[in-house]
Amino acid sequence: MTDNKPAVDVTKDWQATQGQKSAASRLRLFAALSWIVAIGGEIAGIVLFYKHKFDQGNLPLLIGILVGIAIFAIAGNLFWKAANRHDPARASDTARFFFQNQLGAIITLIAFLPLIFLILTDKNMDPQTKKVAGGVGAVLAVIAAITGVSLKPPSVEQYTQDMNSCAAQIRAGQPTTACSPEVAAQAQEIATDTAAVTAATKDASHPAGQDVVYWIAPENGAAKSSEPHVFHLCAAVSPLKDKTVNSGSVTEAYAQNAIRITKQIEMEQKQCGFTASSQ
């Protein structure tokens, strides 16, 4: 009886837009450069250690190196987290999901621990210098590592659920509490296309229209098409002649990469037998 089920998550495949992917790539590049500088600072500190530069002091230089490592490690962590918000991993891919979201903490520990170990185990360093530098290094390492930890990282699955909820809220005219910037644009597209489809498919049996569209099925039984497809108002339209056709809601069409509504709505209304009285 109810053709529309807007609150049900059927997409299972939110995808980053090209703009989101570009932003994520740019942010990950910045993160990588920041981490390289941080590790470079660590290497410089280790080289100075083996040259015995800190045996007789130079505490300000050592503290400066540790602070520099922390600054660039934290910057890298923040860039990386921002990138993950634009282009998250799938929670179902457990290993990748963990490493992608906790990479900042891992890199930070790599950038700090060898140098801190040298500070604490160096037998030639002045005890007071060792105590101060070791303490400062440990505190900075903890602070920087914490900025790299993601306690509630985003995921494709979460964004899919949010996108569907956002689209449902838009269609229902409710407050858009689920419409985060990452999902809002795609949710708006789904809601807009759904409204256009329901308006075009009104007839005597369905005065409110139907959220049902038709599209070319993915090749070789795949879950989604490799190329974007158009979705149509019924299976009898000429573009779908002699094609293997799937049907479902606009949201389901998007899931299989049928993400463009037909531009021939009036023609398809006639071919499908829908009256244009919805105008």
Side-chain angles (χ1 to χ4, degrees), residues 5-12 14 156-180 182-191 194 251:
K5 298 188 279 285
V8 177
D9 174 11
V10 293
T11 304
K12 306 240 182 344
W14 174 92
V156 170
E157 291 85 349
Q158 176 205 324
Y159 279 6
T160 295
Q161 183 177 357
D162 292 349
M163 179 180 67
N164 289 334
S165 298
C166 176
Q169 290 172 346
I170 293 172
R171 292 199 297 264
Q174 298 172 347
T176 51
T177 56
C179 298
S180 66
E182 292 78 19
V183 306
Q186 293 171 71
Q188 181 63 64
E189 290 173 2
I190 292 173
T194 301
T251 308

Side-chain angles (χ1 to χ4, degrees), residues 184-231:
Q186 293 171 71
Q188 181 63 64
E189 290 173 2
I190 292 173
T192 300
D193 286 347
T194 301
V197 168
T198 55
T201 55
K202 294 178 181 179
D203 58 20
S205 301
H206 302 91
Q210 304 175 76
D211 179 13
V212 180
V213 291
Y214 300 79
W215 63 93
I216 297 173
E219 305 82 358
N220 302 317
K224 62 180 297 182
S225 297
S226 57
E227 297 293 330
H229 285 303
V230 173
F231 53 83

Side-chain angles (χ1 to χ4, degrees), residues 98-157:
F98 173 80
F99 283 107
Q100 179 168 320
N101 288 294
Q102 311 307 331
L103 184 62
I106 295 169
I107 296 293
T108 297
L109 293 178
I110 292 172
F112 268 105
L113 291 185
L115 185 54
I116 293 175
F117 177 78
L118 278 179
I119 293 172
L120 297 178
T121 59
D122 189 276
K123 293 182 171 57
N124 299 315
M125 183 181 288
D126 173 69
Q128 184 64 24
T129 300
K130 179 186 294 190
K131 181 178 179 180
V132 174
V136 170
V139 170
L140 290 173
V142 169
I143 293 172
I146 287 174
T147 67
V149 173
S150 292
L151 297 177
K152 295 180 67 176
S155 67
V156 170
E157 291 85 349

